[in-house]
Amino acid sequence: MRIEFVASDAGRFPSGGAVAVMVFENGQMSAAAQAMDAATSGGLSRALSAAPRFAGKPGQTVELIAPAGLDVQRLLAVGAGPAAGMGGEAAERFAAQAYGAVKLSGAKVLHVALAGAEEAARAALGALLAAYRFDKYLTTEKAEKKPSIEVVTVITDDVAAAEAAFAPLKALAEAIYFSRDLVSEPPNVLFPAEYARRVKALESLGLEVEVLGEAEMARLGMGSLLGVGQGSIRDSQLVVIQWKNGGDSQPIAFVGKGVTFDTGGISLKPADGMEDMKWDMGGSAAVAGLMHALAGRKAKVNAIGILGLVENMPDGNAQRPGDVVTSMSGQTIEIINTDAEGRLVLADALWYCQDRFKPQFMVDLATLTGAIIISLGNDYAGLFSNDDTLSENLLAASKASGEALWRLPLPDAYNKQIESMVADLKNTGNGRAGGSITAALFLQKFVNGVPWAHLDIAGTAWKKPSTVPTIPDGAVGFGVRLLNQMVTDKYEV
Ligand code: BES
Ligand code: MN
Ligand code: ZN
C-alpha cells in the first residue's frame, strides 16, 4: 500500500474506490462529511439516521454502497469521537479504522480528507501502521483474504506542508515495519547471525554497525551472555549500532534483549505456547527499529544501539542450574534458573555499553518477565529507573506517543533476594513474588551508576488479539515510537 497526498479543491470529488469521512460524537459532520452529504443529496444524513446506534464513537462505522451522486464504490462514515480538540491522534485512528473497514472490500483506493497538514500526515501514518502485514510465508492464501487497497489518498489543503509533516512519520512507519518484521520472523529463520546480517544492512541508511562474535565476546569477558547461548548451535552475537549526527554531544544509548528463541534452556518451559518465545527478541527489535527511525529522519543526535543476540537452547553443552559464570563487570552469578536468561544477556550488554561509550543514559528494553504481564497486563510496559529525570522524559514521551508505561519501584530491601551463597549474585529472586522487580534489580547491578531505565515489554511486544486499529494482530514494534518521541522532544541538539 502506498500513500498519496492530493490537493482538495472545491467541487472535485474523489472517484473510484472507497471514501471515508469523520462523524463526531454529537452527530456533527466533518467538512468532508458535509460535502459528501451534499453530493449525495442528504444520503449520508439519511444513512446515519437509519443507524440510530451509530453515535460517532471511535470504532463505529456506517457504510453506504454505491451512493447516488458520488462516483465511488462506497462511502464510509467513521466515528471520530469528540469534535472538540480533534487532532493528530484522532486523525491517525480515523484513517487506521477506515483502512481496516475497507481493506477486504475489493476497493483499490481509499480516500480520506483531512484539511490540516499535521492531521493529514498523521492520517497517512495511521493508514500505514494499520496496513502492516507479515504474509511472506503465506503461499495458499485465498485472494479474497488479501487486502485490496493499493493506495490511500489523503485529500488535504496544503499538499507540500502535508508531505513535509509526513517525512519523519514515514521514517517512523518504516522503522516500525522493520521492527515488526524482525519480531514476526520464525526462529529457524531469524537466529542471531541472520539477525545481525539484517541489521548490518541498515548501513545503507548511514548507520555504523559492528557485529561481535563469540570469540570477541569471550575476550571481553562476557561470560554471562555467552553462558546463555552455549546450549545452541547458533553463535551468539553482540550488535553495536551507531548514529552520529549530534556533533560532539555525549551519546544516548539503548540496549535490547534479543533472545531469538527462549526454550528456557535446561529449566525447560512447558510446551503450551512455547512458540511465542520467538518474540523474545522484541526488546532488541525496538532498539534496531529506533536506530532505523533516527537514521531515516536524520535525527540530530548521537545514539548508540546495542543488541544482545542469543538462542536459549538445552543441548549437551547447555548451561546448568548451579553453574557460576563471571560477567564482564567482574561480578559472578550463580545460575538458579536457566530460563531467567534475559537478565544474563543484558548484564554484559549494559556493562559493555557504559564502559565503551560513557553515555548520558542507557535505556534497555526486554521481554524480561512473565510477572510484568501479571502486574500490568498487555497495555502497559513496566518502567524501572534509577533516575527521575529520565523517567519523567520517558513518561512524557509515553503520553505523547500512546505507548503506555507504568513506573514500578526498585526497593533496596529486595536486593537480598538476589544474593547467592556461592557467587556475588544469583539470577532469580525468591519464588514468584515481585518477579519483575527482582529482575530489574539484577540489571541495576550492571549499570555502574549511570542514569538508566529498564522497560519490561513482555506484555506489550505482541498483541493477539489487538484492540487498536494501528496495531494489526501480532508484532507491535513497541518502543520504537516511544523512544523516537523522547529523542525528538528532549535529546536532539
Ligand atoms: N522470556 C521470558 C519472559 C516472558 C514470559 C516473556 C512470557 C513473554 C511472555 C523470560 O526469559 C523468562 O522466562 N522469565 C522467567 C523468569 C523466572 C524463571 C525467574 C519468567 O518470567 O517466568
Ligand atoms: Mn526465559
Ligand atoms: Zn526470555
Side-chain angles (χ1 to χ4, degrees), residues 257 262 269 277 279-280 337 339 341 367-370 458:
K257 168 179 173 180
D262 181 12
K269 286 183 181 295
M277 287 300 113
W279 47 265
D280 207 17
N337 188 319
D339 197 13
E341 85 296 340
T367 49
L368 203 64
T369 66

Side-chain angles (χ1 to χ4, degrees), residues 336-463:
I336 301 299
N337 188 319
T338 64
D339 197 13
E341 85 296 340
R343 65 197 75 181
L344 298 169
V345 172
L346 289 173
D348 281 336
L350 285 164
W351 187 269
Y352 175 82
C353 180
Q354 58 80 33
D355 184 57
R356 174 170 170 193
F357 294 106
K358 314 283 185 261
Q360 290 180 51
F361 66 76
M362 301 190 284
V363 176
D364 79 72
L365 297 96
T367 49
L368 203 64
T369 66
I372 203 70
I373 310 175
I374 306 300
S375 312
L376 298 177
N378 294 105
D379 289 341
Y380 284 80
L383 159 65
F384 299 83
S385 181
N386 62 2
D387 189 274
D388 289 343
T389 305
L390 179 57
S391 289
E392 278 156 24
N393 289 346
L394 283 162
L395 289 165
S398 165
K399 281 222 164 60
S401 67
E403 294 194 319
L405 297 179
W406 193 260
R407 191 174 180 184
L408 292 162
L410 289 165
D412 185 42
Y414 293 19
N415 274 313
K416 267 237 145 334
Q417 292 195 38
I418 52 173
E419 287 174 7
S420 158
M421 280 172 62
V422 299
D424 300 329
L425 294 166
K426 61 186 171 80
N427 81 327
T428 62
N430 299 331
R432 284 152 31 115
S436 307
I437 297 177
T438 47
L441 285 168
F442 182 92
L443 299 180
Q444 191 174 17
K445 302 279 185 189
F446 298 89
V447 304
N448 206 14
V450 170
W452 152 82
H454 157 58
L455 307 182
D456 193 334
I457 63 166
T460 54
W462 185 269
K463 278 219 156 80

Side-chain angles (χ1 to χ4, degrees), residues 202-282:
L202 298 185
E203 286 187 331
S204 64
L205 296 174
L207 293 163
E208 289 174 25
V209 181
E210 291 161 69
V211 180
L212 280 62
E214 292 191 345
E216 277 162 290
M217 286 190 274
R219 271 198 294 281
L220 289 161
M222 295 190 174
S224 182
L225 185 153
L226 289 169
V228 176
Q230 79 187 31
S232 166
I233 59 163
R234 307 295 198 180
D235 273 1
S236 302
Q237 312 267 277
L238 191 82
V239 179
V240 180
I241 314 168
Q242 297 189 63
W243 172 247
K244 297 177 182 166
N245 195 31
D248 56 7
S249 63
Q250 196 183 0
I252 58 176
F254 303 89
V255 179
K257 168 179 173 180
V259 177
T260 61
F261 194 71
D262 181 12
T263 64
I266 295 300
S267 312
L268 194 63
K269 286 183 181 295
D272 251 12
M274 203 202 275
E275 68 282 2
D276 282 350
M277 287 300 113
K278 77 170 184 183
W279 47 265
D280 207 17
M281 32 58 70

Side-chain angles (χ1 to χ4, degrees), residues 91-293:
E92 199 178 305
R93 193 181 51 216
F94 155 64
Q97 194 90 53
Y99 179 86
V102 302
K103 67 179 179 187
L104 296 179
S105 68
K108 292 190 171 149
V109 186
L110 167 63
H111 309 275
V112 294
L114 285 304
E118 177 61 26
E119 283 77 23
R122 290 285 293 273
L125 173 65
L128 272 183
L129 293 179
Y132 175 79
R133 222 172 167 247
F134 188 77
D135 55 7
K136 64 193 281 195
Y137 299 111
L138 301 179
T139 69
T140 59
E141 189 180 42
K142 296 203 167 64
E144 69 264 27
K145 295 239 164 151
K146 294 192 197 295
S148 57
I149 301 292
E150 292 165 2
V151 190
V152 173
T153 71
V154 184
I155 303 163
T156 188
D157 290 354
D158 185 342
V159 168
E163 279 171 349
F166 182 53
L169 301 183
K170 182 164 190 255
L172 173 63
E174 283 166 357
I176 291 173
Y177 271 47
F178 180 71
S179 187
R180 287 177 179 174
D181 278 348
L182 290 170
V183 171
S184 304
E185 278 290 0
N188 60 327
V189 173
L190 198 82
F191 48 88
E194 170 60 18
Y195 192 156
R197 272 193 286 281
R198 292 192 189 191
V199 176
K200 185 86 181 160
L202 298 185
E203 286 187 331
S204 64
L205 296 174
L207 293 163
E208 289 174 25
V209 181
E210 291 161 69
V211 180
L212 280 62
E214 292 191 345
E216 277 162 290
M217 286 190 274
R219 271 198 294 281
L220 289 161
M222 295 190 174
S224 182
L225 185 153
L226 289 169
V228 176
Q230 79 187 31
S232 166
I233 59 163
R234 307 295 198 180
D235 273 1
S236 302
Q237 312 267 277
L238 191 82
V239 179
V240 180
I241 314 168
Q242 297 189 63
W243 172 247
K244 297 177 182 166
N245 195 31
D248 56 7
S249 63
Q250 196 183 0
I252 58 176
F254 303 89
V255 179
K257 168 179 173 180
V259 177
T260 61
F261 194 71
D262 181 12
T263 64
I266 295 300
S267 312
L268 194 63
K269 286 183 181 295
D272 251 12
M274 203 202 275
E275 68 282 2
D276 282 350
M277 287 300 113
K278 77 170 184 183
W279 47 265
D280 207 17
M281 32 58 70
S284 62
V287 172
L290 170 68
M291 299 305 290
H292 191 304

